[in-house]
Amino acid sequence: MNNQKYYYIFLEPLSKELALLAKELEHSVFSSPRTMLTHSRVLIENILKNLMKIEKLTDSLNMSILERINTLSHQGYLVPSIVDALHHVRKVGNEAAHDTRVFRYSESLLCWEALYKIVKWYVESYGPLDLSVPEYQEPSQLRDEPLDLAELLDRLKSLEEKLSSPETQAEVAVTTTDINYDSSLSGYAAIRRIKYFDKHLDIPYFLRDTFLLPQRFHKSETFLIRLGEVQQARFMSELPNSLIDLHKHVKRYNEKNDKTFFEELALFVQEEITRRKIENNRRGELLFFYKTDFIVVTEELSKISLTTQEFSGIPSLIKQLNQNEIYTVGQLPKELVSLAKYKNVGTLTIENLFIQLKEKQGAEVTGTLSRI
Protein backbone atom coordinates (compact mmCIF):
# COMPACT_ATOMS: atom_id res chain seq x y z
CA MET A 1 0.00 0.00 0.00
CA ASN A 2 2.32 2.67 -1.31
CA ASN A 3 5.10 1.24 0.89
CA GLN A 4 3.25 2.43 3.99
CA LYS A 5 3.20 0.19 7.02
CA TYR A 6 -0.56 0.69 7.15
CA TYR A 7 -3.08 2.99 5.51
CA TYR A 8 -3.99 5.24 8.43
CA ILE A 9 -0.39 6.01 9.33
CA PHE A 10 -1.13 9.60 8.28
CA LEU A 11 -3.27 9.94 11.44
CA GLU A 12 -0.31 9.52 13.79
CA PRO A 13 0.45 13.28 14.08
CA LEU A 14 -3.16 13.82 15.11
CA SER A 15 -3.54 10.81 17.39
CA LYS A 16 -1.19 7.87 17.73
CA GLU A 17 -3.90 5.79 19.40
CA LEU A 18 -6.54 6.43 16.74
CA ALA A 19 -4.01 5.58 14.03
CA LEU A 20 -3.08 2.27 15.67
CA LEU A 21 -6.72 1.43 16.30
CA ALA A 22 -7.42 1.98 12.60
CA LYS A 23 -4.44 -0.24 11.81
CA GLU A 24 -5.88 -3.13 13.80
CA LEU A 25 -9.27 -2.59 12.16
CA GLU A 26 -7.58 -2.84 8.77
CA HIS A 27 -5.98 -6.14 9.76
CA SER A 28 -9.33 -7.52 10.88
CA VAL A 29 -11.36 -6.64 7.76
CA PHE A 30 -10.60 -10.03 6.21
CA SER A 31 -9.42 -11.99 9.25
CA SER A 32 -12.51 -11.27 11.39
CA PRO A 33 -15.32 -9.14 9.92
CA ARG A 34 -17.27 -9.34 13.20
CA THR A 35 -14.32 -7.90 15.14
CA MET A 36 -13.81 -5.13 12.58
CA LEU A 37 -17.47 -4.11 12.65
CA THR A 38 -17.78 -4.27 16.42
CA HIS A 39 -14.68 -2.23 17.20
CA SER A 40 -15.14 0.35 14.44
CA ARG A 41 -17.65 1.95 16.80
CA VAL A 42 -14.79 2.86 19.14
CA LEU A 43 -13.03 4.82 16.41
CA ILE A 44 -16.10 6.91 15.52
CA GLU A 45 -16.98 7.34 19.20
CA ASN A 46 -13.61 8.93 19.90
CA ILE A 47 -13.92 11.18 16.87
CA LEU A 48 -17.33 12.28 18.13
CA LYS A 49 -15.92 12.93 21.61
CA ASN A 50 -13.17 15.06 20.11
CA LEU A 51 -15.71 17.04 18.07
CA MET A 52 -17.83 17.78 21.12
CA LYS A 53 -14.74 18.88 23.01
CA ILE A 54 -13.64 21.17 20.18
CA GLU A 55 -17.11 22.67 19.80
CA LYS A 56 -17.45 22.96 23.62
CA LEU A 57 -20.64 20.92 23.76
CA THR A 58 -21.82 19.26 26.96
CA ASP A 59 -20.62 15.66 27.05
CA SER A 60 -20.70 12.86 29.58
CA LEU A 61 -19.21 9.40 29.90
CA ASN A 62 -22.68 7.87 29.73
CA MET A 63 -23.61 9.38 26.37
CA SER A 64 -24.16 6.81 23.64
CA ILE A 65 -22.84 7.08 20.11
CA LEU A 66 -26.36 7.75 18.92
CA GLU A 67 -26.78 10.61 21.40
CA ARG A 68 -23.48 12.16 20.33
CA ILE A 69 -24.42 11.92 16.65
CA ASN A 70 -27.81 13.50 17.30
CA THR A 71 -26.34 16.30 19.45
CA LEU A 72 -23.71 17.26 16.87
CA SER A 73 -26.16 16.91 13.99
CA HIS A 74 -28.86 19.06 15.62
CA GLN A 75 -26.27 21.74 16.36
CA GLY A 76 -25.29 21.80 12.68
CA TYR A 77 -21.77 20.46 13.08
CA LEU A 78 -22.26 17.34 10.90
CA VAL A 79 -23.10 17.25 7.21
CA PRO A 80 -25.80 14.76 6.10
CA SER A 81 -23.40 12.38 4.31
CA ILE A 82 -21.28 12.07 7.45
CA VAL A 83 -24.36 11.52 9.62
CA ASP A 84 -25.32 8.64 7.32
CA ALA A 85 -21.82 7.18 7.47
CA LEU A 86 -21.73 7.42 11.27
CA HIS A 87 -25.10 5.71 11.58
CA HIS A 88 -23.92 2.96 9.22
CA VAL A 89 -20.88 2.20 11.37
CA ARG A 90 -22.96 2.41 14.54
CA LYS A 91 -25.69 0.08 13.28
CA VAL A 92 -23.48 -2.64 11.80
CA GLY A 93 -21.26 -2.46 14.89
CA ASN A 94 -24.23 -2.99 17.18
CA GLU A 95 -25.43 -5.87 15.06
CA ALA A 96 -22.00 -7.54 15.05
CA ALA A 97 -21.81 -7.20 18.83
CA HIS A 98 -25.09 -9.06 19.38
CA ASP A 99 -26.07 -11.13 16.35
CA THR A 100 -24.60 -14.65 16.06
CA ARG A 101 -24.90 -14.84 12.27
CA VAL A 102 -21.85 -15.02 10.02
CA PHE A 103 -20.68 -11.58 8.88
CA ARG A 104 -19.34 -11.20 5.35
CA TYR A 105 -16.21 -9.53 4.02
CA SER A 106 -18.45 -7.26 1.95
CA GLU A 107 -19.96 -5.88 5.15
CA SER A 108 -16.61 -5.07 6.69
CA LEU A 109 -15.51 -3.48 3.39
CA LEU A 110 -18.58 -1.21 3.39
CA CYS A 111 -17.78 -0.25 6.97
CA TRP A 112 -14.17 0.44 5.94
CA GLU A 113 -15.46 2.84 3.25
CA ALA A 114 -17.73 4.57 5.76
CA LEU A 115 -14.81 5.01 8.15
CA TYR A 116 -12.78 6.58 5.36
CA LYS A 117 -15.52 9.14 4.67
CA ILE A 118 -15.74 10.00 8.37
CA VAL A 119 -11.98 10.26 8.94
CA LYS A 120 -11.43 12.26 5.74
CA TRP A 121 -14.14 14.77 6.71
CA TYR A 122 -12.85 14.96 10.30
CA VAL A 123 -9.23 15.60 9.27
CA GLU A 124 -10.13 18.12 6.56
CA SER A 125 -12.55 19.95 8.87
CA TYR A 126 -10.71 19.88 12.18
CA GLY A 127 -7.19 18.57 11.58
CA PRO A 128 -3.95 20.51 11.06
CA LEU A 129 -3.74 22.35 7.74
CA ASP A 130 -0.60 20.46 6.75
CA LEU A 131 -2.23 17.05 7.31
CA SER A 132 -3.52 15.58 4.07
CA VAL A 133 -5.64 12.49 3.57
CA PRO A 134 -4.46 10.09 0.85
CA GLU A 135 -6.84 8.67 -1.73
CA TYR A 136 -9.10 5.84 -0.63
CA GLN A 137 -7.51 2.39 -0.71
CA GLU A 138 -8.92 -1.04 -0.08
CA PRO A 139 -7.59 -2.64 3.09
CA SER A 140 -4.63 -4.94 2.67
CA GLN A 141 -5.40 -8.66 2.66
CA LEU A 142 -1.76 -9.57 3.18
CA ARG A 143 0.10 -9.89 6.45
CA ASP A 144 3.32 -11.75 7.07
CA GLU A 145 1.86 -13.40 10.14
CA PRO A 146 -1.91 -13.45 10.66
CA LEU A 147 -2.87 -12.40 14.17
CA ASP A 148 -4.51 -14.86 16.46
CA LEU A 149 -8.03 -13.55 17.10
CA ALA A 150 -7.49 -13.49 20.86
CA GLU A 151 -4.36 -11.40 20.40
CA LEU A 152 -6.15 -9.03 18.03
CA LEU A 153 -8.90 -8.54 20.61
CA ASP A 154 -6.32 -7.91 23.34
CA ARG A 155 -4.61 -5.31 21.17
CA LEU A 156 -7.89 -3.57 20.48
CA LYS A 157 -8.77 -3.64 24.17
CA SER A 158 -5.40 -2.11 25.05
CA LEU A 159 -5.85 0.72 22.54
CA GLU A 160 -9.45 1.35 23.56
CA GLU A 161 -8.44 1.58 27.22
CA LYS A 162 -5.72 4.03 26.20
CA LEU A 163 -8.21 6.13 24.27
CA SER A 164 -10.65 6.23 27.19
CA SER A 165 -8.01 7.25 29.75
CA PRO A 166 -8.18 10.82 31.15
CA GLU A 167 -4.62 11.50 30.00
CA THR A 168 -5.47 10.77 26.38
CA GLN A 169 -8.76 12.65 26.49
CA ALA A 170 -7.08 15.73 27.93
CA GLU A 171 -5.94 16.75 24.45
CA VAL A 172 -7.37 16.18 21.01
CA ALA A 173 -4.05 15.85 19.25
CA VAL A 174 -2.18 13.32 21.34
CA THR A 175 1.15 11.87 20.30
CA THR A 176 1.87 9.37 23.03
CA THR A 177 4.05 6.45 22.05
CA ASP A 178 3.90 4.22 25.10
CA ILE A 179 1.42 1.70 23.69
CA ASN A 180 2.21 -1.53 25.49
CA TYR A 181 2.88 -3.64 22.42
CA ASP A 182 4.80 -3.49 19.18
CA SER A 183 2.02 -3.43 16.61
CA SER A 184 4.44 -4.34 13.81
CA LEU A 185 4.86 -7.81 15.24
CA SER A 186 2.12 -10.38 15.56
CA GLY A 187 2.44 -12.93 18.30
CA TYR A 188 5.68 -11.55 19.72
CA ALA A 189 4.17 -8.94 21.99
CA ALA A 190 4.83 -9.64 25.67
CA ILE A 191 1.65 -10.97 27.28
CA ARG A 192 3.11 -11.54 30.74
CA ARG A 193 6.34 -11.43 32.76
CA ILE A 194 7.78 -14.28 34.80
CA LYS A 195 10.25 -13.39 37.54
CA TYR A 196 12.88 -15.10 39.62
CA PHE A 197 14.26 -12.77 42.29
CA ASP A 198 15.79 -9.79 40.43
CA LYS A 199 15.59 -11.43 37.00
CA HIS A 200 12.59 -11.43 34.69
CA LEU A 201 11.50 -13.07 31.45
CA ASP A 202 8.91 -11.61 29.07
CA ILE A 203 6.60 -14.23 27.57
CA PRO A 204 5.45 -13.47 24.00
CA TYR A 205 1.79 -13.82 23.12
CA PHE A 206 2.19 -16.88 20.91
CA LEU A 207 3.67 -18.82 23.86
CA ARG A 208 0.88 -17.88 26.25
CA ASP A 209 -0.59 -21.39 26.50
CA THR A 210 2.19 -23.44 24.96
CA PHE A 211 2.88 -26.95 26.24
CA LEU A 212 6.13 -27.22 28.18
CA LEU A 213 7.53 -30.47 26.85
CA PRO A 214 9.78 -31.75 29.67
CA GLN A 215 12.31 -33.17 27.20
CA ARG A 216 13.02 -29.62 26.00
CA PHE A 217 14.41 -28.84 29.46
CA HIS A 218 17.43 -31.12 29.78
CA LYS A 219 18.39 -30.27 33.36
CA SER A 220 14.80 -29.79 34.55
CA GLU A 221 13.12 -32.69 32.77
CA THR A 222 12.34 -34.78 35.84
CA PHE A 223 11.40 -31.67 37.83
CA LEU A 224 8.83 -30.73 35.16
CA ILE A 225 7.45 -34.25 35.02
CA ARG A 226 6.88 -34.19 38.77
CA LEU A 227 5.27 -30.76 38.59
CA GLY A 228 3.06 -31.99 35.78
CA GLU A 229 1.81 -34.83 37.95
CA VAL A 230 0.32 -32.26 40.34
CA GLN A 231 -0.97 -30.10 37.46
CA GLN A 232 1.75 -27.50 37.75
CA ALA A 233 3.97 -26.28 34.88
CA ARG A 234 2.36 -28.38 32.15
CA PHE A 235 1.60 -25.24 30.17
CA MET A 236 3.14 -21.79 30.17
CA SER A 237 -0.15 -20.37 31.46
CA GLU A 238 0.10 -22.58 34.55
CA LEU A 239 3.38 -21.06 35.65
CA PRO A 240 3.13 -18.47 38.45
CA ASN A 241 4.40 -14.94 37.86
CA SER A 242 7.27 -15.73 40.22
CA LEU A 243 9.17 -19.02 40.15
CA ILE A 244 10.42 -18.54 43.70
CA ASP A 245 9.38 -21.60 45.74
CA LEU A 246 7.98 -23.41 42.69
CA HIS A 247 9.73 -26.53 44.03
CA LYS A 248 7.43 -26.59 47.06
CA HIS A 249 4.68 -28.15 44.94
CA VAL A 250 6.65 -31.42 44.86
CA LYS A 251 8.88 -33.32 47.27
CA ARG A 252 12.67 -33.71 47.19
CA TYR A 253 13.38 -30.53 45.18
CA ASN A 254 14.85 -27.21 46.26
CA GLU A 255 15.63 -23.61 45.30
CA LYS A 256 18.36 -24.73 42.93
CA ASN A 257 15.75 -26.47 40.77
CA ASP A 258 13.73 -23.24 40.56
CA LYS A 259 16.81 -21.33 39.42
CA THR A 260 17.82 -23.95 36.85
CA PHE A 261 14.31 -24.13 35.42
CA PHE A 262 14.13 -20.33 35.08
CA GLU A 263 17.41 -20.33 33.14
CA GLU A 264 16.23 -23.12 30.86
CA LEU A 265 12.87 -21.41 30.40
CA ALA A 266 14.66 -18.31 29.11
CA LEU A 267 16.51 -20.46 26.56
CA PHE A 268 13.26 -22.18 25.62
CA VAL A 269 11.51 -18.85 24.94
CA GLN A 270 14.36 -17.54 22.81
CA GLU A 271 14.52 -20.78 20.85
CA GLU A 272 10.76 -20.73 20.26
CA ILE A 273 10.91 -17.14 18.99
CA THR A 274 13.61 -18.11 16.50
CA ARG A 275 11.72 -21.22 15.45
CA ARG A 276 8.55 -19.21 14.87
CA LYS A 277 10.42 -16.83 12.59
CA ILE A 278 11.85 -19.77 10.65
CA GLU A 279 8.43 -21.37 10.26
CA ASN A 280 6.99 -18.05 9.10
CA ASN A 281 9.72 -17.67 6.50
CA ARG A 282 9.20 -21.26 5.31
CA ARG A 283 5.43 -21.58 5.37
CA GLY A 284 3.98 -24.74 3.93
CA GLU A 285 7.14 -26.73 4.61
CA LEU A 286 7.59 -29.54 7.10
CA LEU A 287 10.48 -28.83 9.45
CA PHE A 288 12.18 -31.04 12.02
CA PHE A 289 13.68 -29.33 15.05
CA TYR A 290 16.33 -30.59 17.40
CA LYS A 291 17.66 -28.19 20.00
CA THR A 292 19.03 -25.25 17.98
CA ASP A 293 19.03 -27.05 14.63
CA PHE A 294 16.37 -27.59 12.03
CA ILE A 295 16.02 -29.51 8.81
CA VAL A 296 13.65 -29.02 5.89
CA VAL A 297 11.77 -32.24 5.18
CA THR A 298 11.42 -32.62 1.43
CA GLU A 299 9.06 -35.12 -0.17
CA GLU A 300 12.04 -37.32 -0.99
CA LEU A 301 13.27 -37.36 2.58
CA SER A 302 9.80 -37.95 4.00
CA LYS A 303 9.48 -41.19 2.00
CA ILE A 304 12.64 -42.78 3.41
CA SER A 305 11.83 -45.85 5.47
CA LEU A 306 12.71 -45.99 9.14
CA THR A 307 14.72 -49.18 9.13
CA THR A 308 18.02 -50.31 10.59
CA GLN A 309 19.34 -50.49 7.03
CA GLU A 310 18.67 -46.78 6.49
CA PHE A 311 19.59 -45.58 9.99
CA SER A 312 22.45 -47.21 11.81
CA GLY A 313 23.30 -47.24 15.51
CA ILE A 314 19.72 -46.70 16.79
CA PRO A 315 18.04 -50.13 16.50
CA SER A 316 15.97 -49.81 19.70
CA LEU A 317 14.41 -46.51 18.59
CA ILE A 318 13.68 -47.83 15.08
CA LYS A 319 12.02 -50.94 16.53
CA GLN A 320 9.81 -48.94 18.89
CA LEU A 321 8.83 -46.49 16.15
CA ASN A 322 7.78 -49.33 13.89
CA GLN A 323 5.80 -50.92 16.72
CA ASN A 324 3.86 -47.65 16.92
CA GLU A 325 3.24 -47.79 13.15
CA ILE A 326 5.73 -45.05 12.36
CA TYR A 327 7.47 -46.40 9.27
CA THR A 328 8.73 -43.38 7.31
CA VAL A 329 10.60 -40.16 8.07
CA GLY A 330 7.53 -38.06 7.23
CA GLN A 331 5.67 -39.62 10.16
CA LEU A 332 8.18 -38.42 12.73
CA PRO A 333 7.17 -35.56 15.06
CA LYS A 334 8.59 -32.18 14.12
CA GLU A 335 9.95 -31.88 17.68
CA LEU A 336 12.43 -34.77 17.62
CA VAL A 337 13.23 -34.36 21.32
CA SER A 338 9.80 -35.83 22.06
CA LEU A 339 11.16 -39.19 20.90
CA ALA A 340 12.86 -39.40 24.28
CA LYS A 341 9.56 -40.81 25.58
CA TYR A 342 10.59 -44.19 24.19
CA LYS A 343 12.37 -46.70 26.41
CA ASN A 344 16.17 -46.40 26.53
CA VAL A 345 16.12 -43.44 24.12
CA GLY A 346 18.22 -40.54 25.28
CA THR A 347 19.83 -37.38 23.92
CA LEU A 348 22.61 -39.19 22.07
CA THR A 349 20.16 -41.46 20.27
CA ILE A 350 18.03 -38.55 19.06
CA GLU A 351 21.11 -36.58 18.06
CA ASN A 352 22.33 -39.60 16.08
CA LEU A 353 19.00 -39.76 14.24
CA PHE A 354 19.03 -36.06 13.49
CA ILE A 355 22.59 -36.15 12.14
CA GLN A 356 21.68 -38.99 9.81
CA LEU A 357 18.59 -37.13 8.65
CA LYS A 358 20.71 -34.09 7.84
CA GLU A 359 23.16 -36.24 5.91
CA LYS A 360 20.36 -37.77 3.86
CA GLN A 361 18.76 -34.42 3.17
CA GLY A 362 21.98 -32.83 2.06
CA ALA A 363 23.76 -29.73 3.32
CA GLU A 364 22.19 -27.51 0.64
CA VAL A 365 18.69 -27.78 2.15
CA THR A 366 19.54 -27.73 5.84
CA GLY A 367 20.44 -24.91 8.15
CA THR A 368 20.86 -23.87 11.74
CA LEU A 369 18.92 -21.36 13.76
CA SER A 370 22.03 -19.25 14.13
CA ARG A 371 22.06 -18.54 10.40
CA ILE A 372 18.49 -17.23 10.32
Side-chain angles (χ1 to χ4, degrees), residues 41-50 63 65 68:
R41 295 177 303 173
V42 179
L43 192 147
I44 66 167
E45 182 177 27
N46 278 275
I47 288 177
L48 292 170
K49 286 180 180 179
N50 288 343
M63 284 188 74
I65 294 177
R68 288 192 170 92

Side-chain angles (χ1 to χ4, degrees), residues 284-299:
E285 295 185 295
L286 175 61
L287 305 175
F288 284 161
F289 289 103
Y290 175 67
K291 294 185 177 180
T292 57
D293 283 353
F294 77 96
I295 182 172
V296 179
V297 184
T298 61
E299 184 178 357

Side-chain angles (χ1 to χ4, degrees), residues 318-327 331 341-342:
I318 296 297
K319 180 181 179 180
Q320 293 181 78
L321 288 171
N322 293 165
Q323 288 174 341
N324 281 284
E325 300 184 354
I326 298 176
Y327 300 112
Q331 293 176 284
K341 70 178 183 179
Y342 291 108

Side-chain angles (χ1 to χ4, degrees), residues 33-299:
R34 179 187 298 278
T35 299
M36 189 274 176
L37 297 173
T38 302
H39 293 269
S40 289
R41 295 177 303 173
V42 179
L43 192 147
I44 66 167
E45 182 177 27
N46 278 275
I47 288 177
L48 292 170
K49 286 180 180 179
N50 288 343
L51 289 177
M52 294 187 73
K53 191 176 300 180
I54 293 170
E55 300 296 350
K56 296 180 172 57
L57 298 177
T58 302
D59 192 3
S60 70
L61 294 175
N62 297 324
M63 284 188 74
S64 66
I65 294 177
L66 176 59
E67 290 172 328
R68 288 192 170 92
I69 294 174
N70 288 339
T71 298
L72 287 162
S73 179
H74 293 158
Q75 295 289 334
Y77 295 115
L78 299 175
V79 298
S81 61
I82 298 304
V83 172
D84 291 342
L86 287 165
H87 279 310
H88 176 80
V89 175
R90 178 184 65 82
K91 290 176 181 178
V92 295
N94 289 342
E95 187 178 355
H98 300 100
D99 199 326
T100 58
R101 72 175 179 82
V102 176
F103 287 86
R104 302 185 300 273
Y105 296 145
S106 59
E107 293 175 279
S108 54
L109 284 169
L110 285 173
C111 184
W112 177 259
E113 288 189 50
L115 288 178
Y116 172 77
K117 293 177 184 177
I118 296 165
V119 172
K120 185 174 188 295
W121 174 84
Y122 172 60
V123 170
E124 291 179 348
S125 301
Y126 292 91
L129 294 176
D130 59 349
L131 182 61
S132 60
V133 179
E135 291 297 317
Y136 172 80
Q137 292 184 16
E138 296 287 354
S140 173
Q141 297 187 54
L142 302 176
R143 187 182 178 94
D144 290 340
E145 286 189 70
L147 279 178
D148 175 84
L149 179 58
E151 182 185 1
L152 174 60
L153 292 174
D154 273 0
R155 289 187 174 204
L156 286 166
K157 180 181 178 182
S158 174
L159 284 166
E160 290 164 7
E161 288 176 350
K162 189 75 177 177
L163 281 164
S164 64
S165 68
E167 292 81 6
T168 302
Q169 292 186 12
E171 297 181 21
V172 174
V174 293
T175 57
T176 55
T177 59
D178 57 340
I179 302 298
N180 62 358
Y181 65 83
D182 183 347
S183 60
S184 66
L185 299 174
S186 56
Y188 300 97
I191 189 63
R192 61 179 298 210
R193 174 168 287 184
I194 293 177
K195 301 178 181 178
Y196 182 72
F197 288 103
D198 60 338
K199 298 180 180 179
H200 70 266
L201 173 63
D202 288 328
I203 306 301
Y205 197 97
F206 76 94
L207 289 178
R208 181 181 63 174
D209 298 307
T210 196
F211 175 62
L212 299 175
L213 182 67
Q215 290 87 346
R216 291 283 299 277
F217 301 82
H218 179 63
K219 298 177 182 178
S220 305
E221 181 177 349
T222 306
F223 183 42
L224 281 179
I225 292 173
R226 296 291 174 266
L227 287 169
E229 291 172 352
V230 293
Q231 299 186 21
Q232 296 287 337
R234 295 169 303 172
F235 304 94
M236 187 73 77
S237 54
E238 286 185 337
L239 292 177
N241 289 335
S242 173
L243 297 189
I244 298 174
D245 293 333
L246 181 64
H247 68 279
K248 290 185 177 180
H249 290 286
V250 290
K251 296 180 180 179
R252 293 198 293 256
Y253 289 91
N254 55 43
E255 294 85 354
K256 183 178 179 181
N257 297 104
D258 298 338
K259 180 176 183 294
T260 300
F261 173 56
F262 179 81
E263 292 171 349
E264 288 197 297
L265 184 65
L267 293 174
F268 172 81
V269 169
Q270 188 54 55
E271 186 174 312
E272 284 298 300
I273 290 173
T274 310
R275 287 184 177 191
R276 181 179 171 91
K277 291 177 180 178
I278 291 170
E279 290 178 319
N280 183 55
N281 290 333
R282 312 203 67 142
R283 287 182 186 171
E285 295 185 295
L286 175 61
L287 305 175
F288 284 161
F289 289 103
Y290 175 67
K291 294 185 177 180
T292 57
D293 283 353
F294 77 96
I295 182 172
V296 179
V297 184
T298 61
E299 184 178 357

